[in-house]
Amino acid sequence: MERVISGIRPTGNLHLGNYFGAVKSFVKMQDEYDCMFFIADWHSLTTHPTPENIRNSVKTILSEYLACGIDPEKAPIYVQSDVKQVLELYLYLNMNAYLGELERVTSFKEKVRKQPDNVNAGLLTYPCLMAADILMHKADKVPVGKDQEQNMEMARLFARRFNRIYGVEYFKEPASFHFADKAVKVPGLDGTGKMGKSEGNCLYLCDDEKTVTKKIMRAVTDQGPTQLNQEKPEVIQNLFTLCELLSGKEAAEYYNDLYNRMEIRYGDMKKQMAADANALLAPIREKIIAYANDDALLERIMRQGAEKAAARAEKTIEEVREIIGFRKI
Ligand code: ADP
Ligand code: TRP
């Protein structure tokens, strides 16, 4: 069976972008592939969280994953920092990753622009750690959102380079797997292109019913179309994309016809979107709360996940050490 791995950084709560862009595809894949999922807490250190932050966010994200339907019996979930072998592979990959190519990664350049006071080496070598996560498990497929494509290209590059340097066919080039064969990009509620934690335009899976309704009703729109069959401005196109995700294709087409006839009332469309969002989120929210209150269960799930991941990782590291020329330990 093909192997699948994916990780998510524990930085705050899961939002609709994470759900449609990542977690939903994880849930589907656990029945079709040999899956493992992990919480990328090492990656989150680039933003210097406090110990309290880390403890809380790992627990939160784990509860949210489980509430979305990840079943640890089918797909082990582990915490990245529980599997130390990844660090060793990260070191080896770092030795063959070049400054120029790392500096050219768009997300790195963006961070340099957005947080010039914290351009740490971890940010620069982020793609190496991500490649280590993936190559460690010899993953065939990695479900990720569109924004991770460049990191995936780096992982493939590092796999090829390792094989070339040592004259082996050891690492597989992992393929990106986009849910429904295309990368979903969930727009933000502020009318901008991407829902994201740092953008402050998110609908969170744990938002209560009132908050969900309020946020959707306040989503940015315009004055409405002024011509028949008018091309939609970006803000409106984004609202329609969200509508299709929440309420389905038919509903989006219905409102699209109204838009084309200049009869649309954004308020009606949003009301439906809010109702559908609440129908989707209510059961998830309930489960999040139940898991978050069961520390013993969360601990057991993390331990079992780490054991399975470490067993695989250990095998890879032993083989890699031998390829590189290190003694067996
Ligand atoms: P954020 O941008 O809020 O910090 P993350 O970068 O932690 O979110 O996202 C984790 C996963 O969720 C990634 O696989 C990412 O591609 C996916 N994801 C996040 N936001 C979106 C979005 N708006 N649309 C599609 N996928 C998304
Ligand atoms: N970089 C990913 C993100 O920000 C998270 C991540 C870390 C990841 N390691 C990974 C995703 C390995 C897939 C595979 O979303």
Side-chain angles (χ1 to χ4, degrees), residues 5-9 38 40 43 80 126 129-130 133-134 142-144 147-148 151-152:
I5 179 104
S6 197
I8 199 154
R9 278 177 298 128
F38 69 95
H43 283 282
Q80 186 185 34
Y126 188 107
L129 183 54
M130 181 157 160
D133 293 325
I134 298 168
V142 183
V144 281
D147 60 331
Q148 295 298 310
N151 285 334
M152 287 303 301

Side-chain angles (χ1 to χ4, degrees), residues 42 80-97 125 128-137 158 162 166 170-171 310 312-329:
W42 273 325
Q80 186 185 34
S81 62
D82 285 348
V83 183
K84 298 200 183 82
Q85 290 85 348
V86 172
L87 286 183
E88 190 169 338
L89 186 55
Y90 171 51
L91 180 133
Y92 300 145
L93 295 179
N94 272 333
M95 298 299 169
N96 298 316
T125 58
C128 304
L129 183 54
M130 181 157 160
D133 293 325
I134 298 168
L135 301 182
M136 184 60 101
H137 293 287
F158 296 148
F162 181 93
Y166 293 104
Y170 186 70
F171 285 123
R312 265 190 196 173
E314 188 53 40
K315 184 164 179 291
T316 303
I317 278 301
E318 276 176 19
E319 290 164 355
V320 167
R321 288 179 65 95
E322 194 184 337
I323 291 171
I324 293 181
F326 291 129
R327 279 183 303 107
K328 200 169 162 49
I329 44 172

Side-chain angles (χ1 to χ4, degrees), residues 70-237:
I70 305 258
D71 176 354
E73 293 301 322
K74 295 182 189 162
I77 308 185
Y78 64 94
V79 179
Q80 186 185 34
S81 62
D82 285 348
V83 183
K84 298 200 183 82
Q85 290 85 348
V86 172
L87 286 183
E88 190 169 338
L89 186 55
Y90 171 51
L91 180 133
Y92 300 145
L93 295 179
N94 272 333
M95 298 299 169
N96 298 316
Y98 295 96
L99 183 61
E101 63 195 4
L102 294 171
E103 279 177 336
R104 279 194 297 275
V105 173
T106 315
S107 50
F108 176 72
K109 288 196 287 196
E110 227 167 74
K111 291 277 172 2
V112 172
R113 194 168 46 79
K114 282 194 188 156
Q115 49 179 70
D117 299 335
N118 181 23
V119 185
N120 58 66
L123 271 180
L124 183 72
T125 58
Y126 188 107
C128 304
L129 183 54
M130 181 157 160
D133 293 325
I134 298 168
L135 301 182
M136 184 60 101
H137 293 287
K138 318 262 177 64
D140 298 285
K141 290 192 162 78
V142 183
V144 281
K146 208 174 186 169
D147 60 331
Q148 295 298 310
E149 201 37 52
Q150 212 178 6
N151 285 334
M152 287 303 301
E153 272 163 31
M154 298 298 277
R156 292 189 276 269
L157 175 70
F158 296 148
R160 278 198 301 278
R161 191 174 285 162
F162 181 93
N163 290 347
R164 186 172 44 75
I165 291 174
Y166 293 104
V168 289
E169 274 301 316
Y170 186 70
F171 285 123
K172 287 188 190 174
E173 285 187 43
S176 312
F177 179 90
H178 298 309
F179 189 53
D181 287 334
K182 69 179 196 318
V184 194
K185 193 165 154 207
V186 182
L189 293 169
D190 56 355
T192 59
K194 186 183 179 254
M195 185 174 285
K197 269 162 269 202
S198 42
E199 272 68 42
N201 59 7
C202 297
L203 200 59
Y204 290 99
L205 301 189
C206 61
D207 278 342
D208 61 36
E209 197 171 329
K210 256 172 122 177
T211 310
V212 169
T213 307
K214 199 163 79 188
K215 281 186 178 174
I216 293 183
M217 295 313 288
R218 283 190 191 159
V220 177
T221 50
D222 62 5
Q223 301 294 322
T226 50
Q227 283 171 37
L228 291 172
N229 299 316
Q230 184 184 313
E231 197 180 320
K232 297 188 191 71
E234 201 188 330
V235 214
I236 302 304
Q237 187 49 55

